Amino acid sequence: MIGERIRELRTARSMTATELARAADVSVGMISQVERGITDPSLETVRRIAKVLDTPVFSLFRESGAEPVAVVRKDRRMTVRSPHSEIVYERVSAGAGRVEVLEGVLEPGAASSDPGWTHPSDECVVVLTGRLVVEVNDDRFVLKAGDSATFDSRNPHRYLNETAKPVRFLLAVTPPSY
């Protein structure tokens, strides 16, 4: 499904696979394999492609036919993993609206990105279990279960788990972005 969506967005922008690959700093073979459903891209690759296509990451997973009330069953959530599964995001929101809600799990000793990531949105993160370090610019904020932080995502930011147990959190992003 993601490959079809990438091809659809790429062709709508009159962009060749080579142009997309060059702009996203990935191989043409990778774009071809993703578009044909042969391989699943890493979270970092999806982010790069989404940025080039100027679309939110999870819009690449969007299902057509928006309903007036969208119910997302826990066992039917879209999932995106980092290359080594240090972080996993599940889309809690339906994905066609003005806010994106994700449930994240960050493994012990892992970071959501390296270095900090930027995108044109606002974020609110709420820790469900464990302890999460939120880095925004050069500032660090330690959040425990029930704590939250809201910030402008245009500032370089990332999430870290400096503990020996996984941390679970909810993340709301508006507007959805890459």
Side-chain angles (χ1 to χ4, degrees):
M1 178 170 50
I2 187 172
E4 291 173 14
R5 182 75 175 131
I6 289 170
R7 183 182 302 116
E8 174 187 309
L9 290 169
R10 177 179 62 75
T11 56
R13 288 161 176 73
S14 300
M15 182 181 281
T16 67
T18 302
E19 290 169 333
L20 175 58
R22 188 176 301 122
D25 196 25
V26 299
S27 71
V28 177
M30 170 61 80
I31 297 296
S32 175
Q33 289 179 359
V34 169
E35 287 187 353
R36 291 182 294 145
I38 295 171
T39 190
D40 290 323
S42 70
L43 178 58
E44 180 61 29
T45 299
V46 171
R47 283 178 170 167
R48 290 178 185 181
I49 291 170
K51 190 169 189 172
V52 171
L53 296 174
D54 193 30
T55 192
V57 168
F58 274 92
S59 76
L60 297 176
F61 300 90
R62 186 178 71 214
E63 297 175 22
S64 58
E67 298 291 326
V69 175
V71 175
V72 179
R73 303 287 179 202
K74 182 168 178 46
D75 63 341
R76 306 268 306 154
R77 292 180 184 172
M78 290 288 177
T79 302
V80 174
R81 299 177 186 279
S82 66
H84 306 292
S85 298
E86 300 98 1
I87 189 161
V88 176
Y89 288 111
E90 288 186 348
R91 187 174 64 199
V92 177
S93 56
R98 293 180 304 237
V99 66
E100 184 168 74
V101 181
L102 309 170
E103 181 175 341
V105 176
L106 186 59
E107 293 299 319
S112 61
S113 65
D114 188 35
W117 181 254
T118 65
H119 51 97
S121 301
D122 287 316
E123 286 187 32
C124 179
V125 60
V126 181
V127 177
L128 301 174
T129 62
R131 190 174 134 237
L132 183 70
V133 176
V134 178
E135 283 187 353
V136 180
N137 292 318
D138 292 325
D139 297 319
R140 291 171 46 95
F141 306 90
V142 178
L143 305 179
K144 294 182 268 182
D147 293 345
S148 65
T150 303
F151 57 91
D152 184 335
S153 303
R154 291 175 293 191
N155 294 305
H157 62 281
R158 66 184 188 148
Y159 303 117
L160 297 102
N161 181 353
E162 297 175 341
T163 72
K165 295 182 180 177
V167 60
R168 283 184 49 241
F169 56 95
L170 282 180
L171 179 62
V173 181
T174 186
S177 63
Y178 36 79

